[in-house]
């Protein structure tokens, strides 16, 4: 297990009881909400491994739903998130899965608002640190740090055009992955950076050829 700082070991400021089962779960839920870009009306939450066995006692259920409501790890409303979700019109369904995953703290989240859908799989690796490992059937590695997800056509020059714009704005790339479903079809860049990317940079990227969508991750 790799840690970026001592705070990854100590864990974040959070509503307890567990940094991996509560804080990490809340962060995964909040990433899903950020990527969905608005309030869903239905969430199907599939829990695996340790999450499936201890989700009620460790508050994993309320933490994930709190994240879907855009609550941070320290938000005092997290223990009441199930009731608050119902009030907000968000229908929650939990599924306990027995499939053995690569990591014991794994959750898959399906969100829909009747028009749009999102499927996300995330793991909580300890100390509140997370990784998003799959998004809408794309395999990826997203930690929740400042990042952009760039959906694009798999064409020559698309990647270099995006990195050129970032370089012109003196934005340093800390981690980058590119995946595609088929040659010449839809592809996705996951670009983690060292600072928040301003909206004017996002708009500049959106004007590039072959770029179809950009999702900016909050810090």
């Amino acid at each position: 297990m790799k840690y970026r700082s001592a705070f990854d070991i100590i864990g974040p400021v959070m509503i307890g009881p567990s940094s991996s089962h509560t804080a990490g779960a809340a962060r995964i839920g909040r990433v899903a909400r950020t990527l969905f870009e608005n309030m869903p009306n239905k969430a199907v939450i599939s829990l695996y491994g340790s999450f499936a066995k201890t989700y009620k006692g460790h508050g994993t259920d309320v933490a994930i739903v709190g994240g879907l409501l855009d609550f941070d790890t320290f938000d005092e409303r997290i223990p009441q998130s199930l009731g608050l979700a119902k009030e907000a019109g968000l229908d929650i369904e939990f599924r306990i899965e027995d499939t053995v995953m690569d990591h014991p703290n794994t959750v898959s989240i399906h969100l829909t608002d009747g028009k749009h859908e999102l499927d996300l799989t995330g793991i909580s690796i300890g100390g509140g640190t997370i990784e998003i490992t799959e998004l809408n059937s794309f395999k990826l590695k997203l930690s929740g740090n400042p990042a952009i997800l760039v959906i694009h056509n798999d064409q020559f020059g698309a990647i270099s055009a995006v990195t050129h714009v970032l370089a012109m704005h003196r934005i340093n790339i800390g981690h980058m992955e590119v995946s595609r479903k088929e040659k010449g079809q839809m592809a996705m860049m996951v670009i983690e950076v060292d600072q928040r990317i301003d909206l004017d940079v996002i708009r500049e990227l959106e004007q590039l050829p072959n770029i179809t969508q950009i999702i900016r991750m909050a810090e």
Side-chain angles (χ1 to χ4, degrees):
M1 185 179 299
K2 296 181 179 179
Y3 297 101
R4 291 182 296 272
S5 73
F7 292 103
D8 288 343
I9 301 172
I10 298 170
V13 178
M14 66 174 191
I15 299 295
S18 168
S19 60
S20 60
H21 286 67
T22 314
R27 292 191 69 199
I28 294 170
R30 200 175 188 204
V31 169
R33 168 63 183 269
T34 299
L35 294 175
F36 196 68
E37 298 188 292
N38 54 50
M39 182 68 176
N41 57 26
K42 172 74 174 182
V44 178
I45 301 169
S46 300
L47 301 167
Y48 300 85
S50 180
F51 270 2
K53 294 176 182 178
T54 65
Y55 73 100
K56 289 187 177 181
H58 282 166
T60 305
D61 51 351
V62 296
I64 294 171
V65 175
L68 294 177
L69 294 174
D70 205 24
F71 297 165
D72 208 334
T73 56
F74 52 79
D75 197 304
E76 295 182 355
R77 294 172 293 178
I78 284 179
Q80 289 79 46
S81 63
L82 295 179
L84 294 173
K86 186 175 181 179
E87 292 176 7
L90 173 55
D91 180 28
I92 303 292
E93 177 185 347
F94 286 100
R95 295 180 179 177
I96 307 306
E97 308 286 355
D98 56 11
T99 303
V100 177
M101 307 295 277
D102 291 338
H103 195 283
N105 298 334
T106 298
V107 57
S108 292
I109 301 173
H110 175 80
L111 301 179
T112 183
D113 61 4
K115 296 181 179 180
H116 307 95
E117 295 187 353
L118 178 141
D119 288 290
L120 174 147
T121 299
I123 60 175
S124 178
I125 60 178
T129 304
I130 67 168
E131 287 182 3
I132 305 304
T133 59
E134 187 170 339
L135 176 64
N136 292 341
S137 76
F138 279 106
K139 301 293 184 181
L140 69 154
K141 182 179 179 182
L142 183 64
S143 69
N145 290 325
I148 54 172
L149 276 64
V150 183
I151 312 300
H152 61 100
N153 297 319
D154 180 34
Q155 297 294 325
F156 176 82
I159 297 172
S160 61
V162 169
T163 57
H164 176 72
V165 169
L166 296 178
M168 292 295 293
H169 289 276
R170 302 182 66 82
I171 297 171
N172 190 51
I173 297 173
H175 177 81
M176 180 174 179
E177 292 187 4
V178 182
S179 58
R180 63 186 182 184
K181 294 185 177 179
E182 294 183 26
K183 183 179 179 179
Q185 301 299 314
M186 185 172 64
M188 181 171 64
M189 301 177 228
V190 179
I191 305 174
E192 293 192 349
V193 295
D194 292 339
Q195 67 263 43
R196 184 179 174 86
I197 300 178
D198 293 334
L199 283 174
D200 60 336
V201 180
I202 298 296
R203 295 189 185 100
E204 186 174 345
L205 292 170
E206 289 174 336
Q207 300 306 310
L208 294 174
N210 294 307
I211 304 304
T212 59
Q213 183 184 12
I214 295 181
I215 302 171
R216 183 177 65 163
M217 297 293 300
E219 294 181 74

